[in-house]
Amino acid sequence: MPISELTLTPNSSHNRRGQSDTMIEMHGIVKTFKNAAGEFTALKGIDLTIDRGEFVSIVGKSGSGKSTLLNMITGIDHPTKGQMVIGGMDIYTGVTESQRSRWRGRNLGIVFQFFQLLPMLTLLENVMLSMDFAEMYHFDERPGRALEMLKLVALEKFANKLPVLVSTGQQQLAAIARALACDPPLLVADEPTGNLDSKSAGGI
């Protein structure tokens, strides 16, 4: 099955044989960056298995490679060495960027550390955009679903505001709503509550 057609359908944490149903497998993941100062290895042979239904937090000091590791999982960046298997498929070997992008849109909800909202679109349009790119839901359903997602994070009153006209915390909430819009089986979030007050963070 081409990776662009793969859907990571949520199910129980074990398969019919009672064996662990693995969502993410990392085998010897290495990421080395090169610049004028030389080489820097951010990830050094990461081996990790995450099963369906697990909630996993990656904790470490600034610059320890947390965001780099998340970029490997999402397919946004490529490992220097190693294998990344999600839903039983290697997302790097023999896969084009276009295929990976389409697969990502349908299977991953991503909350970026710096939100990545398009400044010329309203919050509602930003949330709808993920459904547009992934071709999820009927065209006429998308505005209603986008508003539903904004209601989940208490932003429905700001739906028609541009990102620059709302607070940083509200931008982060809009990014979370966008990540949930396509009802993805896998959610990857980089410091998703870092700009929220304790009450809002608890709600999220």
Side-chain angles (χ1 to χ4, degrees), residues 131-145:
M131 293 181 272
D132 293 338
F133 281 142
E135 297 179 347
M136 296 288 284
Y137 304 100
H138 189 275
F139 181 81
D140 293 334
E141 295 180 68
R142 293 171 191 170
R145 178 161 178 82

Side-chain angles (χ1 to χ4, degrees), residues 39-178:
E39 292 188 354
F40 170 72
T41 301
L43 302 176
K44 302 177 181 180
I46 304 297
D47 294 305
L48 177 65
T49 299
I50 300 175
D51 290 337
R52 293 182 189 274
E54 282 196 275
F55 185 99
V56 178
S57 295
I58 301 170
V59 181
K61 64 182 181 180
S62 180
S64 61
K66 301 186 299 296
S67 295
T68 301
L69 184 61
L70 294 182
N71 286 342
M72 299 298 109
I73 295 173
T74 60
I76 291 173
D77 201 357
H78 297 207
T80 306
K81 295 179 182 178
Q83 184 183 42
M84 176 69 68
V85 178
I86 299 183
M89 294 194 66
D90 188 327
I91 67 169
Y92 290 109
T93 304
V95 179
T96 67
E97 289 292 345
S98 178
Q99 289 174 319
R100 189 162 35 250
S101 178
R102 183 173 176 80
W103 167 83
R104 183 165 48 237
R106 288 178 171 267
N107 293 283
L108 300 184
I110 305 173
V111 183
F112 296 97
Q113 186 175 1
F114 300 108
F115 320 142
Q116 306 297 345
L117 298 174
L118 293 185
M120 73 290 295
L121 299 181
T122 65
L123 300 187
L124 184 74
E125 291 167 338
N126 267 285
V127 175
M128 287 174 56
L129 193 62
S130 60
M131 293 181 272
D132 293 338
F133 281 142
E135 297 179 347
M136 296 288 284
Y137 304 100
H138 189 275
F139 181 81
D140 293 334
E141 295 180 68
R142 293 171 191 170
R145 178 161 178 82
L147 186 59
E148 181 184 343
M149 295 300 101
L150 289 173
K151 285 181 179 178
L152 282 177
V153 296
L155 281 185
E156 66 272 21
K157 293 181 180 179
F158 302 91
N160 295 314
K161 296 280 189 180
L162 295 174
V164 72
L165 298 178
V166 301
S167 70
T168 301
Q170 289 168 327
Q171 290 181 51
Q172 184 158 44
L173 291 170
I176 292 169
R178 179 185 59 192

Side-chain angles (χ1 to χ4, degrees), residues 6-12 21 23 52 87 106-107 183-186:
L6 174 65
T7 299
L8 303 179
T9 305
N11 56 21
S12 65
D21 189 356
M23 173 69 88
R52 293 182 189 274
R106 288 178 171 267
N107 293 283
D183 194 22
L186 179 60

